Amino acid sequence: MASVSSKANPLISTLPHILTWPRFRFRTICSGRLGFTSYSSTSSSPSSSAVDSETRVAGTKVLETFKEEFEIGSLPITLETGKIARFANGAVVLAMEETKVLSTVASAKGDSVRDFLPLTVEYQEKQFAQGVIPSTYMRREGAPKERELLCGRLIDRPIRPLFPPGFYHEVQVMASVLSSDGKQDPDVMAANATSAALMLSDIPWGGPIGVIRVGRISGHFLVNPSTDELSMSDLNLVYACTRDKTLMIDVQAREISENDLEAALRLAHPEAVKFIEPQIRLAAKAGKQKKEYKLSMVSEKTREKIRNLAEAPIEAVFTDPTYGKFERGEALDRITQDVKKVLEEECDEEGLKFLSKTVDTVRKEVVRRRIISEGQRVDGRYLDQVRPVYCEAGNLPVLHGSSLFSRGDTQVLCTVTLGAPGQAQRLDSIVGPPTKRFMLHYSFPPFCINEVGKRVGLNRREVGHGTLAEKALLAVLPPEDDFRYTVRINSEVMASDGSTSMATVCGGSMALMDAGIPVREHVAGVSVGLVSEIDSTTGEIKDYQILTDILGLEDHLGDMDFKIAGTRKGVTAIQLDIKPSGIPLDIICECLEPALRGRLQILDHMEREISEPRTKDDVNSPRLATLKYSNDAIRRLVGPLGALKRKIEEETGARISVSDQTLTILAKNQPVMDKVQERVDLIIGREIEVGGIYKGTVTSIKEYGAFVEFNGGQQGLLHISELSNEPVTRVSDVVSVGQQLSLMCIGQDVRGNIKLSLKATLQRTGPNADHAIGEIKASTKKELNVWPPVIQMQIQQEKQDPLSEDQPSEHEMKEGMSSSVSPVILIRSAAECDEEEKNSGVDLSSRNCSFTSRTLKLKTEALYPNFKSDDEDKDENYNAGPSLLQSKLNDVETNNEVNISVRKLKIGMELTAKVHQIRARGLVLDLGGGIHGMYRFEAGNKRDFGVGEELRVKCLSFSGKGIPVMSLVED
């Protein structure tokens, strides 16, 4: 307790001391307890009293709090009241470790004039609970998030049935998270705190209740699992109950069997009951006396009068199965209007006031009596019969995936849209994952029930139904590592007559398969209802019937709506809502068997329509590519403030996501993917592969060829011999500066220049090109439509380990061998080549000679990679006449190595080498003079080699670092 010192109020100081509040030790009752400590004076003399009146301090407030501490699932739990929100009708803080939740209740004071209970439940998670400032522009929380709406529904569903009939006063529940350590989900804590707050208030309520969460890891059930344990659990069960009856069930599971689910329910009930006794003890200490509210109850005389007028015509409507939903509704409305006319003629004000409610009660009695006594349903079906099912997959072929599902008069249209990983939904919850890659959005437009309505904001019912279907389908989706797409299912209810959420599960499952997503198997759902007969003396159920696939009317007039979704293997999601004040758990468990039979019937229809994911090969199938680049290259693509990336997205319609050294592109079809990759190649390039086709621009023309800029600013050499299949005299006759060409990479020359070919691309446009290109495209489509991320060749090459040891010579050999398969690209620009020409003393003006010393020089360089090994060789070869150069070429062609040292090794030269080292994939050869070469084992060559063995080898090429690549010469 803290005290605050201040100067005494002048008005109070003028009063006699006997009249002041501390003298009377005043106590006021506010939410139970509030008071002040007594003021004590050290002197009773008048002078002392005058001094004390000037120095008197304020009294210290005493907050008398009440606590109940207990333990459930090895976690200490505390219920506390009296310290916070004392003006509320009831307020409780529930603490579990460092997570604390405050729940308050309040009720309107005036008399009610309604015929329903206006109960509102608001749950809020503010960012201060985890020590974070909101990231919004206003730096404060905005409209309720989906999770807050769902937690509000979780609290509402178990407490609503326990308000007494006829209590129609407005009640508001507000639950907020005060602090969170991230270990416990506050939703269940808020539900228990709300129950305790209602017990403390003066609002009539039939509680308390207990709410518990149960998980399962490796077959072992856990009570009150942490968020980390839930991420590893295959079951997330939230169970609410009174001391002996079930009130609410909410389940998300990974195909748990009905037997295991029943075991979890029977474990959860006694654990949830442990919350009840502490609430009763707390209410006994600090609770208020329940008020006698005026209940809106119709008199027995009026009820009998309306029943006599309406019962017979209502029963005639319900016994005729030919009525459709709207025809039946119109007939019932006419009956209500006929009764209203009679009451108006008799001026029966009470009957008119309660007409709608009483007629609805008569309908309920007629339907329930026929079901229990005769086993007859409104539409003439058997109790366990599922309505006719119609399935259609791919009804909107232009979309990624689509389906139409109808069960009876209920119909939903589901579509699937695939997105990039960066399009995953961001979650600002204080617990749980930060993003969500699978979203299901459920929409219930007014036309589906032939009504006029206005669509505004998030609807709690739509959010709840969509989340239930989302939980059901999440269990069969492939892991994120194998399937990197963000997936959105949109469910549009086209017609509603019972359990549109379960129809969404069925339609969504078919749409996923139509989109080619590799889901393991279909998921279906069905809603089970209950009609019971209550013993008026004991309040217990004495007779009941379980209904499979209930109509909307049976949901409204029945006792429960038990939605169960799953595969053939087990249950994936459950939602149980009830209307009476509890249903025995034995009846709940009994409903699992008819739900399974109905689910299997629906799965048969779905599998006949589509039984496995489609392999899409049309132009509308989406494409996802994951490319590896350096972070500097990705920064170039993104541009300042992401401007360049946004521009590409706007122009192409694709979506680009970036992360550490990874670029992910999502395109709606292959043409868009080609367009985006072309733009990316022009900006940052991609890994160059021998045989790959690239678009480039001619930047300069030499007499021996043209330099081309391609692949994000890289330089390549288009030699004159690669321009055309026909002889070319001048390069400028074929290409010009600024011209754009499609060229093939054919390798790398000894100077590190990338060698490009124009004639190779022309050859592919010959008579057999269409067939070859078609095969390539088909294989590409097949790979893309399996739906894994498209990883580029660089990743595959990184997995290849040419050599298994890491000695220095081995490292050089590894680089050389890798270059022979996928060359290391060392680019020399046109400017560097011009500089080489100047250093070599070549006349740049003599470019029109068809065969000059410059032409011979280029041919010599192509065959002699180390031709400029020293100044003597450079002067000898670069300034020599055609006769000398031609003679050297002839020497190479005849494989003569007379008077040629090892340091002047040429391509095509044969020599004898010794085996220096033996590696896993090749040999390191001693060529003499301290020079090492390498030989890569050929496929099918099983020959054994020994260190020191002499081999006759031939020089094939040189790696990017000048390491000779040799081949064996057959004897």
Side-chain angles (χ1 to χ4, degrees):
M1 294 180 292
S3 62
V4 180
S5 298
S6 62
K7 189 175 181 180
N9 190 311
L11 179 62
I12 296 178
S13 63
T14 61
L15 295 175
H17 179 65
I18 194 172
L19 296 180
T20 58
W21 286 9
R23 181 66 176 174
F24 284 100
R25 293 176 174 84
F26 179 80
R27 296 173 63 86
T28 183
I29 303 301
C30 179
S31 185
R33 312 288 177 257
L34 172 65
F36 298 95
T37 57
S38 61
Y39 171 76
S40 62
S41 177
T42 58
S43 175
S44 60
S45 64
S47 61
S48 300
S49 192
V51 174
D52 291 341
S53 65
E54 295 296 330
T55 60
R56 186 175 301 145
V57 298
T60 301
K61 183 181 292 186
V62 178
L63 300 179
E64 190 173 359
T65 62
F66 298 91
K67 286 186 178 180
E68 284 295 330
E69 297 181 353
F70 53 102
E71 186 175 296
I72 297 178
S74 73
L75 289 177
I77 302 174
T78 302
L79 291 172
E80 183 180 18
T81 187
K83 181 183 289 187
I84 300 179
R86 298 185 310 276
F87 283 174
N89 203 331
V92 171
V93 175
L94 189 148
M96 187 180 296
E97 293 185 330
E98 296 302 321
T99 300
K100 295 184 178 181
V101 178
L102 167 67
S103 183
T104 62
V105 296
S107 177
K109 303 299 188 294
D111 292 336
S112 64
V113 292
R114 310 173 185 87
D115 60 351
F116 65 95
L117 172 64
L119 171 65
T120 59
V121 179
E122 298 179 12
Y123 172 90
Q124 192 170 31
E125 293 178 345
K126 292 193 174 182
Q127 295 297 308
F128 73 79
Q130 55 180 347
V132 175
I133 296 176
S135 58
T136 59
Y137 177 77
M138 299 296 294
R139 295 296 185 267
R140 64 184 302 167
E141 288 78 11
K145 299 182 288 291
E146 284 190 12
R147 171 176 163 79
E148 292 175 325
L149 296 178
L150 293 172
C151 292
R153 281 172 51 88
L154 195 72
I155 301 170
D156 183 298
R157 287 156 54 194
I159 67 174
R160 185 179 291 271
L162 298 181
F163 286 94
F167 179 78
Y168 298 144
H169 294 262
E170 186 175 1
V171 178
Q172 185 179 42
V173 176
M174 300 189 70
S176 58
V177 182
L178 301 181
S179 65
S180 173
D181 57 6
K183 296 180 181 179
Q184 296 293 327
D185 195 324
D187 56 354
V188 170
M189 299 173 58
N192 286 292
T194 300
S195 173
L198 285 168
M199 290 295 294
L200 293 174
S201 71
D202 60 9
I203 302 172
W205 188 63
I209 67 171
V211 187
I212 199 72
R213 172 174 270 113
V214 175
R216 188 179 72 166
I217 300 178
S218 301
H220 300 285
F221 291 112
L222 300 176
V223 177
N224 282 338
S226 65
T227 53
D228 292 336
E229 290 171 335
L230 274 179
S231 63
M232 300 181 292
S233 172
D234 62 354
L235 173 66
N236 185 356
L237 164 65
V238 178
Y239 181 85
C241 65
T242 60
R243 192 180 298 275
D244 55 353
K245 292 183 179 180
T246 300
L247 288 170
M248 186 269 297
I249 297 174
D250 194 277
V251 173
Q252 179 180 1
R254 299 175 186 170
E255 298 179 288
I256 183 173
S257 67
E258 278 73 11
N259 291 334
D260 291 345
L261 179 61
E262 181 177 349
L265 293 174
R266 296 195 180 279
L267 169 67
H269 188 91
E271 294 294 332
V273 170
K274 294 180 182 179
F275 277 99
I276 294 179
E277 286 300 329
Q279 297 179 46
I280 295 176
R281 294 195 300 266
L282 185 66
K285 296 177 183 178
K288 298 178 181 179
Q289 184 69 31
K290 297 297 183 183
K291 284 188 178 181
E292 294 294 335
Y293 286 90
K294 180 180 179 181
L295 302 180
S296 299
M297 303 293 290
V298 60
S299 65
E300 187 63 29
K301 177 182 177 182
T302 302
R303 182 184 295 109
E304 286 297 327
K305 183 178 182 179
I306 295 177
R307 178 185 291 110
N308 294 333
L309 293 172
E311 185 174 20
I314 288 176
E315 188 165 3
V317 172
F318 285 149
T319 54
D320 188 353
T322 61
Y323 277 107
K325 175 179 179 177
F326 295 106
E327 293 80 6
R328 186 185 301 114
E330 292 172 357
L332 294 174
D333 289 340
R334 287 194 297 268
I335 295 173
T336 304
Q337 294 301 320
D338 293 341
V339 176
K340 182 179 179 180
K341 291 179 182 179
V342 175
L343 296 177
E344 288 176 343
E345 292 174 357
E346 298 179 359
C347 298
D348 190 343
E349 295 183 0
E350 182 183 2
L352 292 172
K353 178 180 178 181
F354 295 102
L355 174 62
S356 177
K357 196 75 174 178
T358 307
V359 169
D360 189 68
T361 302
V362 176
R363 296 175 185 173
K364 185 175 182 179
E365 293 173 351
V366 171
V367 171
R368 296 167 70 90
R369 183 174 62 248
R370 292 188 70 249
I371 291 176
I372 291 178
S373 61
E374 304 173 15
Q376 294 294 324
R377 302 176 66 170
V378 174
D379 57 355
R381 284 183 294 147
Y382 296 110
L383 299 180
D384 60 348
Q385 184 178 356
V386 178
R387 288 173 289 175
V389 175
Y390 172 79
C391 302
E392 183 180 347
N395 55 306
L396 300 174
V398 74
L399 305 182
H400 295 166
S402 61
S403 69
L404 187 66
F405 179 85
S406 299
R407 187 188 61 247
D409 290 332
T410 298
Q411 184 184 67
V412 296
L413 172 67
C414 291
T415 61
V416 170
T417 307
L418 302 179
Q423 293 180 291
Q425 181 182 359
R426 293 182 57 187
L427 304 175
D428 294 328
S429 174
I430 61 177
V431 294
T435 59
K436 184 171 69 171
R437 71 183 182 105
F438 176 60
M439 301 162 284
L440 194 150
H441 297 154
Y442 168 97
S443 180
F444 192 89
F447 68 78
C448 71
I449 51 175
N450 195 25
E451 290 184 357
V452 177
K454 187 177 181 181
R455 307 297 303 276
V456 289
L458 283 177
N459 183 284
R460 290 183 57 170
R461 181 181 180 276
E462 291 182 339
V463 172
H465 282 49
T467 301
L468 174 62
E470 182 180 296
K471 290 178 181 179
L473 295 171
L474 190 62
V476 298
L477 283 182
E480 188 172 1
D481 294 339
D482 299 335
F483 184 79
R484 295 181 55 83
Y485 288 96
T486 295
V487 182
R488 180 189 185 230
I489 296 180
N490 192 78
S491 173
E492 295 286 337
V493 179
M494 298 289 105
S496 173
D497 190 15
S499 193
T500 52
S501 60
M502 294 295 96
T504 296
V505 173
C506 302
S509 180
M510 292 193 300
L512 288 174
M513 282 197 176
D514 182 61
I517 298 176
V519 295
R520 292 197 301 273
E521 54 184 314
H522 271 309
V523 183
V526 67
S527 184
V528 177
L530 177 71
V531 173
S532 60
E533 185 178 354
I534 307 297
D535 190 335
S536 58
T537 59
T538 62
E540 299 295 328
I541 296 177
K542 62 180 182 180
D543 197 4
Y544 64 91
Q545 292 285 7
I546 297 173
L547 312 178
T548 302
D549 183 21
I550 57 176
L551 298 171
L553 182 65
E554 292 171 334
D555 180 13
H556 173 67
L557 302 179
D559 292 335
M560 76 174 185
D561 182 11
F562 194 9
K563 302 181 179 72
I564 306 175
T567 65
R568 292 187 180 274
K569 296 179 181 179
V571 175
T572 59
I574 283 179
Q575 179 177 297
L576 169 65
D577 295 322
I578 67 171
K579 296 178 178 63
S581 58
I583 296 175
L585 182 57
D586 291 338
I587 297 178
I588 299 296
C589 295
E590 185 181 345
C591 295
L592 297 176
E593 180 61 28
L596 173 60
R597 293 197 301 267
R599 186 169 79 240
L600 294 178
Q601 294 177 36
I602 298 174
L603 286 171
D604 290 338
H605 289 277
M606 295 168 58
E607 290 172 354
R608 281 196 291 268
E609 173 64 19
I610 179 171
S611 58
E612 60 184 11
R614 297 192 195 278
T615 302
K616 283 186 171 285
D617 55 359
D618 52 32
V619 295
N620 296 314
S621 58
R623 299 291 188 269
L624 182 71
T626 302
L627 311 175
K628 294 291 183 179
Y629 292 103
S630 66
N631 287 332
D632 291 336
I634 292 178
R635 277 191 287 269
R636 292 200 307 273
L637 175 68
V638 173
L641 301 177
L644 186 55
K645 170 178 168 290
R646 288 195 300 271
K647 182 179 180 182
I648 297 175
E649 290 178 335
E650 291 173 359
E651 293 178 352
T652 62
R655 291 293 179 266
I656 300 176
S657 301
V658 296
S659 58
D660 185 26
Q661 297 186 347
T662 303
L663 179 69
T664 304
I665 304 172
L666 177 76
K668 64 183 299 183
N669 50 45
Q670 188 59 46
V672 173
M673 175 63 74
D674 295 338
K675 187 176 181 180
V676 176
Q677 287 187 333
E678 180 180 345
R679 293 291 301 275
V680 172
D681 293 346
L682 291 176
I683 298 173
I684 60 176
R686 54 189 169 98
E687 184 183 9
I688 298 177
E689 301 174 0
V690 176
I693 305 296
Y694 304 89
K695 290 184 178 181
T697 303
V698 178
T699 58
S700 63
I701 295 178
K702 309 293 182 180
E703 64 179 15
Y704 51 85
F707 279 95
V708 179
E709 182 177 334
F710 73 110
N711 200 38
Q714 292 179 294
Q715 290 279 350
L717 176 61
L718 175 60
H719 194 265
I720 188 172
S721 62
E722 296 295 334
L723 287 173
S724 174
N725 294 319
E726 302 296 331
V728 177
T729 303
R730 290 184 302 180
V731 179
S732 59
D733 293 340
V734 181
V735 296
S736 60
V737 175
Q739 183 178 356
Q740 290 188 350
L741 302 172
S742 293
L743 306 171
M744 177 186 290
C745 176
I746 58 175
Q748 174 188 10
D749 66 16
V750 295
R751 289 191 174 185
N753 292 317
I754 303 172
K755 296 193 295 184
L756 303 174
S757 175
L758 180 60
K759 68 180 183 181
T761 60
L762 298 176
Q763 291 173 356
R764 295 185 62 168
T765 60
N768 297 326
D770 292 340
H771 178 69
I773 294 174
E775 290 180 352
I776 294 175
K777 290 185 177 180
S779 63
T780 303
K781 288 183 178 180
K782 183 177 181 181
E783 181 179 0
L784 284 172
N785 284 306
V786 179
W787 300 113
V790 182
I791 306 299
Q792 298 301 308
M793 292 299 296
Q794 176 182 356
I795 301 177
Q796 299 177 1
Q797 291 173 0
E798 288 174 355
K799 295 181 180 180
Q800 296 176 356
D801 184 14
L803 300 174
S804 59
E805 302 182 24
D806 53 359
Q807 297 182 6
S809 61
E810 181 69 11
H811 179 67
E812 294 177 357
M813 181 178 175
K814 176 181 177 180
E815 290 184 351
M817 288 184 177
S818 298
S819 66
S820 65
V821 179
S822 180
V824 179
I825 305 303
L826 302 176
I827 301 172
R828 288 196 176 184
S829 64
E832 291 176 316
C833 290
D834 291 340
E835 186 65 25
E836 289 290 339
E837 291 174 352
K838 293 179 182 179
N839 294 337
S840 303
V842 178
D843 184 6
L844 299 178
S845 62
S846 58
R847 297 173 182 255
N848 296 328
C849 301
S850 59
F851 189 95
T852 62
S853 60
R854 175 63 177 167
T855 307
L856 288 175
K857 169 182 168 293
L858 289 173
K859 187 173 181 181
T860 305
E861 288 177 350
L863 295 175
Y864 289 20
N866 297 326
F867 203 77
K868 298 186 293 180
S869 59
D870 48 46
D871 294 339
E872 180 181 358
D873 293 334
K874 183 186 300 183
D875 295 340
E876 176 186 355
N877 292 287
Y878 274 36
N879 299 321
S883 59
L884 177 59
L885 292 174
Q886 188 64 42
S887 64
K888 287 185 176 293
L889 294 175
N890 294 334
D891 290 341
V892 175
E893 293 172 358
T894 56
N895 292 327
N896 291 329
E897 48 179 318
V898 181
N899 299 326
I900 298 179
S901 65
V902 176
R903 292 181 58 84
K904 298 179 181 179
L905 181 66
K906 308 298 186 295
I907 295 177
M909 179 181 292
E910 293 185 7
L911 71 158
T912 301
K914 291 184 179 180
V915 178
H916 179 67
Q917 290 179 345
I918 302 176
R919 298 301 178 191
R921 299 192 180 186
L923 304 176
V924 179
L925 302 176
D926 185 0
L927 305 181
I931 302 300
H932 286 171
M934 60 182 178
Y935 164 70
R936 186 179 181 89
F937 291 149
E938 300 174 359
N941 191 345
K942 302 298 184 179
R943 177 179 174 183
D944 295 330
F945 297 91
V947 177
E949 180 182 353
E950 292 187 351
L951 301 173
R952 190 67 177 173
V953 295
K954 178 180 179 180
C955 182
L956 288 180
S957 62
F958 291 84
S959 71
K961 293 189 176 181
I963 301 174
V965 180
M966 316 299 291
S967 66
L968 293 180
V969 178
E970 299 295 338
D971 294 337

